[in-house]
Amino acid sequence: MLSSSLPARGTPRILVFATLVNTVGNGAFLATATLFLTRSVGLTPTQLALALSLAAGAGMLLSTPMGYVVDHIGPRTAQMVALVVLAAAYCGLCFARDLGTVVPLACLIAVGDSVVKAANGAMIAGAVPPADRVRTRAFLRSTTNAGIALGTLAAGVPLLLDTRAAYLAVLLGNAATCVGAALIVRRATPVAPVRAPSGGPKLIALRDRPFLTFVLLDGLVAALYNDMLSLALPLWLVAHAGGPAVLVSAALLVNTIGCVTLQVWAARNLHTAADAPRANRRGALLVAASCVLFALATDAPAALIGAAVLGAAAVHVLGELWLSGASFVTVFDLARDWAQGQYQAVHQTGRQVGNLISPPLITALVVGWGAPGWLCLGALFVTTGLVTPVVIRWALARREPVACA
């Protein structure tokens, strides 16, 4: 039935619709931001890198405190406020003229994005029955991929025009999608603000050692499998394989289609964190297998390189889907009921840490070593696929129910 292929009515469907609207604008902005900031604003590549690094740092430092705020004021309110602030920040970029004006706006955008993601998770935890949480989160991930793909496609026109007016239209359009998403979220069922139990630590997630261990492992793994196709693949093709660059687009297309169409299917049997170890291990081993396929194609004939890349992309996306599904259910299940926003925010911080580590690591392995580097990367996924389930079981064994004050 059609209803079975759609998110549940009410908050799940509202969040999915709001995510689609918001990510279309985000996709167009991400595709044009570099050229806008360098060609229109006038930043040098060094200044752009500095601005992005400072923004990433702000996101990492403030994600967890802002997650506490999400719980304190309620996730629906927090998400609406964050979306409006993001709209104002994108409008502010229209008037940016130098590094001094870009940096605070970039930091505001990074923190605002973190709040939206944490609030989304907290809203699902608070307004969606436990049995439907992972399915709803899977729909959000599918929708995010679809929205960004559509936005990236729409960005082709301003990129072709390559004028300040075209880039400003993207900024204003993205601001409009943020406001539109806020208005859509307003229709969702409100989740009541929660308070930490009196006498205990406020930032409880930062004291949860099993959860922090999981977050760091999960963040590194997610960053690595994301960078495999967008960073490692093109660099490897140039340095070692000699295959056509169009294979990068083909592999990314396979990944996008898989993430959009199969994420809900991959998460269908994940209901509690007890289901996560098997899915995590299966996903990690599949991504490791894709690394082996890439290694086998190094310095191979063109036809073999093409077949290996497409086959590796298909295996990779299946592994990615199971890894992400295991991540969803683990975060939901390990979080304290009164700190869902905080735990979601710490999880985002883990992803940000992974994003810092992955590019130099994956470049050193794949570009520096070629086929042996791919095999080392595969061994890393095998190792995390064996260790992470142990960490999840450790976290489940240490989990203690805590009543709200």
Side-chain angles (χ1 to χ4, degrees), residues 219-241:
L220 177 60
V221 167
L224 288 173
Y225 69 60
N226 283 330
D227 285 342
M228 277 179 62
L229 300 185
S230 61
L231 178 63
L233 177 57
L235 293 176
W236 169 74
L237 285 173
V238 171
H240 296 282

Side-chain angles (χ1 to χ4, degrees), residues 145-239:
N145 280 281
I148 290 176
L150 291 172
T152 301
L153 184 64
V157 174
L159 287 171
L160 182 64
L161 295 173
D162 193 22
T163 63
R164 178 173 174 81
Y167 295 137
L168 292 182
V170 172
L171 286 172
L172 294 176
N174 196 17
T177 64
C178 289
V179 173
L183 293 175
I184 295 168
V185 170
R186 188 173 183 272
R187 300 178 57 195
T189 302
V191 176
V194 290
R195 301 288 187 271
S198 58
K202 302 299 182 184
L203 299 181
I204 184 66
L206 293 180
R207 294 171 176 259
D208 191 334
R209 287 183 293 173
F211 183 74
L212 288 177
T213 305
F214 166 77
V215 159
L216 292 175
L217 285 170
D218 181 70
L220 177 60
V221 167
L224 288 173
Y225 69 60
N226 283 330
D227 285 342
M228 277 179 62
L229 300 185
S230 61
L231 178 63
L233 177 57
L235 293 176
W236 169 74
L237 285 173
V238 171

Side-chain angles (χ1 to χ4, degrees), residues 3-8 12 16 19 134-144 263-264 328:
S3 60
S4 64
S5 62
L6 296 173
V16 167
T19 297
V134 176
R135 184 170 184 268
T136 301
R137 183 65 185 84
F139 268 113
L140 286 185
R141 188 170 192 264
S142 296
T143 303
T144 296
Q263 182 66 77
V264 176
F328 301 156

Side-chain angles (χ1 to χ4, degrees), residues 1 10 32-33 53 64 68 106 155 165 195 213 228 234 268 287 296-297 318 324 340 357 361 379 389:
M1 295 177 62
T32 58
S53 297
T64 301
Y68 175 81
R195 301 288 187 271
T213 305
M228 277 179 62
R268 70 194 187 284
V287 177
L296 292 175
L318 288 175
S324 58
Q340 282 285 347
I357 298 172
L361 175 60

Side-chain angles (χ1 to χ4, degrees), residues 71 194-197 201-202 204 336-342 402-404:
D71 294 319
V194 290
R195 301 288 187 271
K202 302 299 182 184
I204 184 66
R336 309 296 179 96
D337 290 340
W338 48 268
Q340 282 285 347
Q342 188 183 144
V402 179
C404 295

Side-chain angles (χ1 to χ4, degrees), residues 327-382:
S327 178
F328 301 156
V329 72
T330 301
V331 177
F332 279 131
D333 219 22
L334 295 184
R336 309 296 179 96
D337 290 340
W338 48 268
Q340 282 285 347
Q342 188 183 144
Y343 272 74
Q344 295 287 340
V346 171
H347 183 239
Q348 291 302 318
T349 302
R351 293 293 174 93
Q352 292 161 340
V353 172
N355 290 338
L356 289 178
I357 298 172
S358 174
L361 175 60
I362 210 168
T363 301
L365 289 175
V366 174
V367 178
W369 290 358
W374 279 116
L375 295 177
C376 288
L377 186 61
L380 181 57
F381 280 110
V382 170

